[in-house]
Amino acid sequence: MKVLLTGGAGFIGRHVRTLLVAEGHDVTVLDSLRSDVHRETVVLDDLIVADVRDAEAVRKALAGVDVLVHLAAKVGLGVDLDDLDDYVGSNSLGTAVLLKEMAHENVRRLVYASSMVVYGEGRYECAEHGVVGPGPRRIADLEAGNFEPPCPHCGESLRPGLVDEDARLDPRNAYAASKLTGEHLASAWARETGGRVASMRFHNVYGPGMPRDTPYAGVAALFRSALERGEAPKVFEDGRQRRDFVHVRDVASAVTAAAIADHPQVAAYNVGSGTVRTIGDLAGELSRAYGGPDPVVTGQYRLGDVRHITASSARIRRELGWRPRYDLAMGIANLVGRPTIDRPPHPLPAS
């Protein structure tokens, strides 16, 4: 299979490229090597340095391709609203250019890197009102340290649970909105061309090769960078935010499975470990692994963050036969370079 891999010089992309090549596929990488992602020199023998918005470069790269794996994106929550046009341009417009050129070149399979952020807040239940969607977070509540979202109907406490792919989509920052726009554009492309798209909603990805010292990095990368400087990881809010931390090699195997699977024409898949952990748990695991100072819970917050978001990965298990191999302890050991014992995919709880 001939694969064009956008963003293939990035954190997730390098792992996807390695796995695709190991499985015998012919891979070409297209990456702009943007400076807010790549702080070091990148050398790949199959690399085309170009932006996904460059229609001519994309058209040439797509010649003879069987499947496009689209990972290229501006990531993270953003620093401020000055990033808004860059998210829309890099992510939404970039995806649109790719889809247009795929139609022209008769490429009919797409794996699109989406994100858990398209959901906004995760799944919540109220004892009286059942499944509800909490409203926007209020600055007054956050300033007072009231981080848990209340029921929008009665104001009582909510019980968080696992979100599945049919949940309400509620992007709450520029990055999230751009990722969801990409999903919608890809769905329209698939229906108009007869193509097939799998939107992979990655949860919190960590592992070897995470970016360093950038405000656009994920929380695991920020904690790791602090520990390598000899500093304590700074944990926002109270550290009890629920997340699903998934190892980058498991993400790569999910992407590879989607690239070759006979999935529905328009499909969306959560890609998570299936294990609920907190941001405080992650900080503590990393501190112990690095032998560094204990995490510091700061009480700070970012308005664009969500309180709880954890995945049900039942659909990808059922439809693609995918299973994660790394739990958090094994994944952290792999991240810091400690020997690990390879395990078969571990069973996940039912959604």
Side-chain angles (χ1 to χ4, degrees), residues 52-250:
V52 293
R53 291 167 288 186
D54 182 341
E56 182 178 356
V58 168
R59 190 177 309 124
K60 291 178 180 177
L62 282 169
V65 163
D66 299 302
V67 58
L68 171 64
V69 176
H70 179 31
L71 305 181
K74 178 181 176 68
V75 300
L77 288 177
V79 178
D80 54 43
L81 285 177
D82 286 342
D83 286 328
L84 189 58
D85 56 344
D86 195 6
Y87 279 110
V88 174
S90 298
N91 299 352
S92 304
L93 177 59
T95 299
V97 171
L98 285 170
L99 294 169
K100 180 183 72 173
E101 298 305 326
M102 288 177 71
H104 290 164
E105 295 299 316
N106 201 35
V107 178
R108 294 293 183 261
R109 288 191 66 95
L110 171 66
V111 180
Y112 171 68
S114 188
S115 170
M116 67 174 188
V117 296
V118 300
Y119 297 112
E121 288 284 355
R123 186 179 190 275
Y124 293 87
E125 289 188 27
C126 172
E128 180 177 352
H129 296 99
V131 176
V132 297
R137 306 183 88 185
R138 300 187 303 178
I139 292 176
D141 290 338
L142 298 171
E143 290 285 352
N146 298 323
F147 301 120
E148 295 291 344
C151 174
H153 305 296
C154 65
E156 293 299 315
S157 298
L158 298 174
R159 182 164 61 94
L162 302 182
V163 64
D164 65 24
E165 292 87 350
D166 294 325
R168 182 182 67 143
L169 303 179
D170 183 22
R172 297 193 173 195
N173 55 63
Y175 172 62
S178 71
K179 287 278 95 177
L180 184 54
T181 298
E183 285 199 30
H184 290 326
L185 290 170
S187 296
W189 162 85
R191 293 185 175 99
E192 290 185 27
T193 64
R196 191 183 299 266
V197 57
S199 293
M200 314 300 284
R201 293 174 181 167
F202 302 149
H203 283 249
N204 294 78
V205 186
Y206 72 97
M210 289 190 304
R212 298 173 183 270
D213 301 317
T214 165
Y216 300 96
V219 66
L222 296 176
F223 290 164
R224 190 269 309 273
S225 293
L227 288 161
E228 289 180 341
R229 296 192 300 267
E231 302 171 4
K234 294 181 179 179
V235 180
F236 280 19
E237 301 185 20
D238 57 6
R240 296 175 184 171
Q241 307 94 304
R242 291 159 55 104
R243 295 292 187 270
D244 186 321
F245 300 104
V246 58
H247 194 275
V248 66
R249 290 180 182 166
D250 285 331

